[in-house]
Amino acid sequence: MRAAVFRRPGPAAEVLEVVDVPAPEPGAGQVRVRMVTSGVNPTDWKGRAGLTSRRPDGFQVPHHDGAGVVDALGPTVAGLAVGQRVWVYLAAYRNRYGTAAEYAVVPAARVVPLPDSASDDLGACLGVPALTAAHCLGGVPGALEGRTVLVAGGAGAVGHYAIQLAARAGARVAATVSSAEKQALAEKAGAAHVVRYTDGDAADRILELAGPVDRVVEVAPMANLDLDLRVLAPGGTIATYAADETLTLPGGPLMSANATLVFALLYTLTPEQTDAAVRWTSQALAAGALTALPVTTYPLERVAQAQDAVERGTVGKVVVRL
């Protein structure tokens, strides 16, 4: 099969190559998927660049997310069928065969049916972003009904799905963005109120439009903490999925608000937490409540450019089409 691989960490153009490798065979509890689309996330380029502790064992096919068709089932796999359309998540986690190849072998638990109503590009856009959003929202849609949610970075991939999942769950959704282009994306996703955080009165505007916020889905905790605490309702929660920097926390205001600060990383969720996020995402997908962001596509031969585009912060989603 044709596959993108890297054998050591480094710049995309230097270490990524597209080569022929033997197609993997599924073992017990595994599924082989003929990939159609491969979604690119920030975690993918960071892993290739060496910003994480894991190093390739011989070679690594990158990318966690994607959509395709079940090609073969390993022993003990139930609930999936050859020829079935699926989306996959965390394919490259502790696994050599990610989705940037003609075939990927993935643990069956990370392979999810893709409804006929959903495109392959949409399937490739789920995975890490949608599951992270579902977990940051608490994992239980019923708990959001009638509540107010603020999504920081509402035009990003996690923000996009946080808006859509929260709105479907019956929450009032506000979002912050940095530009008119991103405001249009957040509004299209379903945010009732969109505020540019570059405006000096952003917190006042959020309170005016949406009232006190019960839960914040936060992409930049240090930059936005003062705003979050100004709008947070007593007993509210700030859930952040991007906290690479050192955090200095104002203990007094956090205690005064009886606030809960939650850190979310998809890799280390419990199986129960992951199952809850997958279930919520799948239900929303089947109901037609999830959409893809604007998609920029690359062929497999240009996978290095695709990763560089994500690293540069391309608006929307970057997808490699097989």
Side-chain angles (χ1 to χ4, degrees), residues 24-231:
E25 295 294 331
Q30 293 182 323
V31 177
R32 185 168 68 195
V33 179
R34 177 176 59 80
M35 300 310 306
V36 177
T37 53
S38 173
V40 191
N41 294 296
T43 189
D44 297 317
W45 73 258
K46 290 177 181 179
R48 181 264 309 151
L51 301 183
T52 63
S53 59
R54 188 164 180 261
R55 296 293 180 266
D57 179 15
F59 70 85
Q60 177 67 50
V61 178
H63 301 177
H64 287 304
D65 297 341
V69 176
V70 173
D71 178 72
L73 302 174
T76 73
V77 174
L80 294 167
V82 172
Q84 184 175 14
R85 296 179 70 235
V86 293
W87 58 279
V88 302
Y89 66 92
L90 292 188
Y93 179 55
R94 296 180 177 175
N95 179 29
R96 173 177 286 178
Y97 297 102
T99 65
E102 292 177 326
Y103 295 92
V105 162
V106 186
R110 301 178 197 165
V111 180
V112 189
L114 183 65
D116 290 339
S117 58
S119 69
D120 293 314
D121 284 348
L122 175 54
C125 291
L126 299 172
V128 170
L131 300 183
T132 298
H135 182 67
C136 285
L137 289 168
V140 183
L144 288 182
E145 186 171 2
R147 313 292 279 181
T148 300
V149 172
L150 173 64
V151 178
V158 175
H160 177 81
Y161 290 116
I163 289 170
Q164 295 193 325
L165 289 170
R168 172 169 165 76
R172 295 180 295 273
V173 184
T176 56
V177 297
S178 61
S179 68
E181 177 189 16
K182 293 182 178 181
Q183 180 174 349
L185 289 174
E187 289 173 344
K188 186 176 180 180
H193 310 290
V194 182
V195 174
R196 297 188 202 179
Y197 61 79
T198 49
D199 294 343
D201 60 349
D204 292 338
R205 186 67 175 150
I206 291 167
L207 289 170
E208 175 188 344
L209 293 171
V213 171
D214 300 296
R215 180 174 286 266
V216 180
V217 178
E218 183 56 75
V219 65
M222 276 311 301
N224 296 333
L225 189 56
D226 287 344
L227 182 151
D228 293 342
L229 287 173
R230 283 183 60 192
V231 303

Side-chain angles (χ1 to χ4, degrees), residues 302-322:
R302 296 181 60 201
V303 64
Q305 292 97 316
Q307 287 203 4
D308 285 342
V310 175
E311 186 173 356
R312 290 194 305 269
T314 295
V315 175
K317 280 291 292 185
V318 172
V319 168
V320 172
R321 288 186 178 159
L322 281 303

